[in-house]
PDB file of all heavy atoms in Angstrom:
ATOM      1  N   ILE Z  21      91.680 143.838 118.161  1.00 72.00           N
ATOM      2  CA  ILE Z  21      92.450 142.540 117.741  1.00 72.00           C
ATOM      3  C   ILE Z  21      93.841 142.646 118.383  1.00 72.00           C
ATOM      4  O   ILE Z  21      94.541 143.593 118.360  1.00 72.00           O
ATOM      5  CB  ILE Z  21      92.511 142.671 116.197  1.00 72.00           C
ATOM      6  CG1 ILE Z  21      91.174 142.557 115.597  1.00 72.00           C
ATOM      7  CG2 ILE Z  21      93.599 141.652 115.712  1.00 72.00           C
ATOM      8  CD1 ILE Z  21      90.890 141.630 114.560  1.00 72.00           C
ATOM      9  N   LYS Z  28     100.103 132.595 113.720  1.00 87.00           N
ATOM     10  CA  LYS Z  28      99.201 131.440 113.637  1.00 87.00           C
ATOM     11  C   LYS Z  28      99.585 130.418 114.787  1.00 87.00           C
ATOM     12  O   LYS Z  28      98.732 129.785 115.344  1.00 87.00           O
ATOM     13  CB  LYS Z  28      99.516 130.711 112.251  1.00 87.00           C
ATOM     14  CG  LYS Z  28      98.505 129.814 111.825  1.00 87.00           C
ATOM     15  CD  LYS Z  28      98.759 129.212 110.616  1.00 87.00           C
ATOM     16  CE  LYS Z  28      98.034 127.851 110.427  1.00 87.00           C
ATOM     17  NZ  LYS Z  28      98.533 127.049 109.384  1.00 87.00           N
ATOM     18  N   LEU Z  31      98.194 131.575 118.096  1.00 92.00           N
ATOM     19  CA  LEU Z  31      96.685 131.426 117.996  1.00 92.00           C
ATOM     20  C   LEU Z  31      96.464 129.988 118.286  1.00 92.00           C
ATOM     21  O   LEU Z  31      95.606 129.624 119.080  1.00 92.00           O
ATOM     22  CB  LEU Z  31      96.253 131.754 116.632  1.00 92.00           C
ATOM     23  CG  LEU Z  31      94.784 131.949 116.336  1.00 92.00           C
ATOM     24  CD1 LEU Z  31      94.413 133.302 117.001  1.00 92.00           C
ATOM     25  CD2 LEU Z  31      94.495 132.056 114.930  1.00 92.00           C
ATOM     26  N   SER Z  35      94.358 128.393 121.392  1.00 94.00           N
ATOM     27  CA  SER Z  35      93.179 127.521 121.174  1.00 94.00           C
ATOM     28  C   SER Z  35      93.157 126.156 121.815  1.00 94.00           C
ATOM     29  O   SER Z  35      92.178 125.743 122.380  1.00 94.00           O
ATOM     30  CB  SER Z  35      93.052 127.265 119.612  1.00 94.00           C
ATOM     31  OG  SER Z  35      93.080 128.391 118.856  1.00 94.00           O
ATOM     32  N   ASN Z  40      91.722 122.568 126.907  1.00 90.00           N
ATOM     33  CA  ASN Z  40      92.400 121.526 127.704  1.00 90.00           C
ATOM     34  C   ASN Z  40      92.958 122.109 129.007  1.00 90.00           C
ATOM     35  O   ASN Z  40      93.519 123.202 129.017  1.00 90.00           O
ATOM     36  CB  ASN Z  40      93.515 120.864 126.889  1.00 90.00           C
ATOM     37  CG  ASN Z  40      92.958 120.001 125.701  1.00 90.00           C
ATOM     38  OD1 ASN Z  40      92.528 118.927 125.876  1.00 90.00           O
ATOM     39  ND2 ASN Z  40      93.082 120.651 124.509  1.00 90.00           N
ATOM     40  N   LEU Z  51     100.812 118.639 117.759  1.00 87.00           N
ATOM     41  CA  LEU Z  51      99.490 119.212 117.230  1.00 87.00           C
ATOM     42  C   LEU Z  51      99.755 120.360 116.265  1.00 87.00           C
ATOM     43  O   LEU Z  51      99.108 120.371 115.303  1.00 87.00           O
ATOM     44  CB  LEU Z  51      98.707 119.699 118.427  1.00 87.00           C
ATOM     45  CG  LEU Z  51      97.892 118.719 119.169  1.00 87.00           C
ATOM     46  CD1 LEU Z  51      97.295 119.389 120.450  1.00 87.00           C
ATOM     47  CD2 LEU Z  51      96.615 118.402 118.301  1.00 87.00           C
ATOM     48  N   LEU Z 101      88.617 136.910 120.112  1.00 89.00           N
ATOM     49  CA  LEU Z 101      87.596 136.223 119.399  1.00 89.00           C
ATOM     50  C   LEU Z 101      86.387 137.209 119.116  1.00 89.00           C
ATOM     51  O   LEU Z 101      85.769 137.219 118.001  1.00 89.00           O
ATOM     52  CB  LEU Z 101      87.033 134.984 120.164  1.00 89.00           C
ATOM     53  CG  LEU Z 101      87.883 133.817 120.043  1.00 89.00           C
ATOM     54  CD1 LEU Z 101      87.256 132.642 120.801  1.00 89.00           C
ATOM     55  CD2 LEU Z 101      88.119 133.340 118.653  1.00 89.00           C
ATOM     56  N   PHE Z 107      84.712 142.336 113.639  1.00 85.00           N
ATOM     57  CA  PHE Z 107      85.366 142.621 112.377  1.00 85.00           C
ATOM     58  C   PHE Z 107      84.676 141.936 111.170  1.00 85.00           C
ATOM     59  O   PHE Z 107      84.277 142.672 110.173  1.00 85.00           O
ATOM     60  CB  PHE Z 107      86.793 142.146 112.442  1.00 85.00           C
ATOM     61  CG  PHE Z 107      87.564 142.369 111.075  1.00 85.00           C
ATOM     62  CD1 PHE Z 107      88.054 143.548 110.714  1.00 85.00           C
ATOM     63  CD2 PHE Z 107      87.668 141.252 110.256  1.00 85.00           C
ATOM     64  CE1 PHE Z 107      88.690 143.834 109.569  1.00 85.00           C
ATOM     65  CE2 PHE Z 107      88.354 141.433 109.038  1.00 85.00           C
ATOM     66  CZ  PHE Z 107      88.874 142.672 108.666  1.00 85.00           C
ATOM     67  N   LEU Z 108      84.320 140.708 111.326  1.00 85.00           N
ATOM     68  CA  LEU Z 108      83.679 139.927 110.228  1.00 85.00           C
ATOM     69  C   LEU Z 108      82.272 140.494 109.947  1.00 85.00           C
ATOM     70  O   LEU Z 108      81.799 140.625 108.796  1.00 85.00           O
ATOM     71  CB  LEU Z 108      83.618 138.475 110.498  1.00 85.00           C
ATOM     72  CG  LEU Z 108      85.026 137.822 110.346  1.00 85.00           C
ATOM     73  CD1 LEU Z 108      85.002 136.383 110.715  1.00 85.00           C
ATOM     74  CD2 LEU Z 108      85.429 137.886 108.842  1.00 85.00           C
ATOM     75  N   SER Z 111      82.495 143.684 108.131  1.00 81.00           N
ATOM     76  CA  SER Z 111      83.003 143.561 106.716  1.00 81.00           C
ATOM     77  C   SER Z 111      81.861 142.967 105.932  1.00 81.00           C
ATOM     78  O   SER Z 111      81.860 143.275 104.671  1.00 81.00           O
ATOM     79  CB  SER Z 111      84.238 142.734 106.709  1.00 81.00           C
ATOM     80  OG  SER Z 111      83.951 141.472 106.992  1.00 81.00           O
TER      81      SER Z 111
ATOM     82  N   MET W  29      93.949 144.401 108.851  1.00 61.00           N
ATOM     83  CA  MET W  29      93.563 143.001 108.767  1.00 61.00           C
ATOM     84  C   MET W  29      92.658 142.720 107.651  1.00 61.00           C
ATOM     85  O   MET W  29      91.665 143.525 107.482  1.00 61.00           O
ATOM     86  CB  MET W  29      92.897 142.517 110.106  1.00 61.00           C
ATOM     87  CG  MET W  29      92.530 141.105 110.060  1.00 61.00           C
ATOM     88  SD  MET W  29      91.884 140.441 111.716  1.00 61.00           S
ATOM     89  CE  MET W  29      93.132 139.326 112.103  1.00 61.00           C
ATOM     90  N   ASN W  31      89.932 140.389 105.305  1.00 78.00           N
ATOM     91  CA  ASN W  31      88.862 139.471 105.553  1.00 78.00           C
ATOM     92  C   ASN W  31      89.355 137.944 105.646  1.00 78.00           C
ATOM     93  O   ASN W  31      89.027 137.207 106.557  1.00 78.00           O
ATOM     94  CB  ASN W  31      87.895 139.532 104.408  1.00 78.00           C
ATOM     95  CG  ASN W  31      86.494 139.775 104.880  1.00 78.00           C
ATOM     96  OD1 ASN W  31      86.295 139.702 106.142  1.00 78.00           O
ATOM     97  ND2 ASN W  31      85.588 140.081 103.958  1.00 78.00           N
ATOM     98  N   ALA W  37      92.049 132.685 110.655  1.00 86.00           N
ATOM     99  CA  ALA W  37      92.305 132.611 112.130  1.00 86.00           C
ATOM    100  C   ALA W  37      91.264 131.784 112.774  1.00 86.00           C
ATOM    101  O   ALA W  37      91.502 130.950 113.554  1.00 86.00           O
ATOM    102  CB  ALA W  37      92.311 134.048 112.764  1.00 86.00           C
ATOM    103  N   LEU W  38      89.992 132.049 112.346  1.00 88.00           N
ATOM    104  CA  LEU W  38      88.825 131.306 112.883  1.00 88.00           C
ATOM    105  C   LEU W  38      88.931 129.805 112.594  1.00 88.00           C
ATOM    106  O   LEU W  38      88.753 128.914 113.412  1.00 88.00           O
ATOM    107  CB  LEU W  38      87.536 131.801 112.338  1.00 88.00           C
ATOM    108  CG  LEU W  38      87.114 133.167 112.879  1.00 88.00           C
ATOM    109  CD1 LEU W  38      85.744 133.550 112.268  1.00 88.00           C
ATOM    110  CD2 LEU W  38      86.903 133.015 114.468  1.00 88.00           C
ATOM    111  N   GLU W  40      91.595 128.108 111.894  1.00 87.00           N
ATOM    112  CA  GLU W  40      92.818 127.497 112.656  1.00 87.00           C
ATOM    113  C   GLU W  40      92.453 127.267 114.161  1.00 87.00           C
ATOM    114  O   GLU W  40      92.711 126.193 114.762  1.00 87.00           O
ATOM    115  CB  GLU W  40      93.936 128.502 112.619  1.00 87.00           C
ATOM    116  CG  GLU W  40      95.115 128.268 113.658  1.00 87.00           C
ATOM    117  CD  GLU W  40      95.992 127.144 113.115  1.00 87.00           C
ATOM    118  OE1 GLU W  40      95.850 126.662 111.947  1.00 87.00           O
ATOM    119  OE2 GLU W  40      96.845 126.672 113.936  1.00 87.00           O
ATOM    120  N   ILE W  41      91.614 128.202 114.746  1.00 90.00           N
ATOM    121  CA  ILE W  41      91.221 128.036 116.178  1.00 90.00           C
ATOM    122  C   ILE W  41      90.258 126.828 116.195  1.00 90.00           C
ATOM    123  O   ILE W  41      90.457 125.966 117.081  1.00 90.00           O
ATOM    124  CB  ILE W  41      90.385 129.318 116.604  1.00 90.00           C
ATOM    125  CG1 ILE W  41      91.364 130.517 116.696  1.00 90.00           C
ATOM    126  CG2 ILE W  41      89.690 128.988 117.938  1.00 90.00           C
ATOM    127  CD1 ILE W  41      90.668 131.833 116.828  1.00 90.00           C
ATOM    128  N   MET W  44      92.279 123.457 115.855  1.00 89.00           N
ATOM    129  CA  MET W  44      93.152 123.122 116.938  1.00 89.00           C
ATOM    130  C   MET W  44      92.313 122.783 118.105  1.00 89.00           C
ATOM    131  O   MET W  44      92.689 121.831 118.749  1.00 89.00           O
ATOM    132  CB  MET W  44      93.970 124.310 117.327  1.00 89.00           C
ATOM    133  CG  MET W  44      95.182 124.537 116.498  1.00 89.00           C
ATOM    134  SD  MET W  44      96.157 122.987 116.577  1.00 89.00           S
ATOM    135  CE  MET W  44      96.731 122.894 114.894  1.00 89.00           C
ATOM    136  N   SER W  48      92.731 118.811 119.318  1.00 87.00           N
ATOM    137  CA  SER W  48      93.353 118.476 120.649  1.00 87.00           C
ATOM    138  C   SER W  48      92.372 117.931 121.630  1.00 87.00           C
ATOM    139  O   SER W  48      92.808 117.632 122.747  1.00 87.00           O
ATOM    140  CB  SER W  48      93.930 119.870 121.254  1.00 87.00           C
ATOM    141  OG  SER W  48      92.890 120.758 121.516  1.00 87.00           O
ATOM    142  N   LYS W 129      93.182 109.714 126.595  1.00 90.00           N
ATOM    143  CA  LYS W 129      91.981 110.157 127.340  1.00 90.00           C
ATOM    144  C   LYS W 129      90.685 109.335 126.836  1.00 90.00           C
ATOM    145  O   LYS W 129      89.973 108.761 127.624  1.00 90.00           O
ATOM    146  CB  LYS W 129      91.764 111.657 127.163  1.00 90.00           C
ATOM    147  CG  LYS W 129      92.007 112.480 128.342  1.00 90.00           C
ATOM    148  CD  LYS W 129      91.367 113.845 128.088  1.00 90.00           C
ATOM    149  CE  LYS W 129      92.332 114.960 128.459  1.00 90.00           C
ATOM    150  NZ  LYS W 129      92.040 116.277 127.940  1.00 90.00           N
TER     151      LYS W 129
END
Side-chain angles (χ1 to χ4, degrees):
Chain Z
I21 295 226
K28 199 183 156 195
L31 195 72
S35 308
N40 290 285
L51 274 169
L101 282 182
F107 174 80
L108 284 172
S111 70
Chain W
M29 180 174 244
N31 235 353
L38 284 179
E40 169 77 10
I41 291 166
M44 278 303 140
S48 67
K129 249 193 225 166

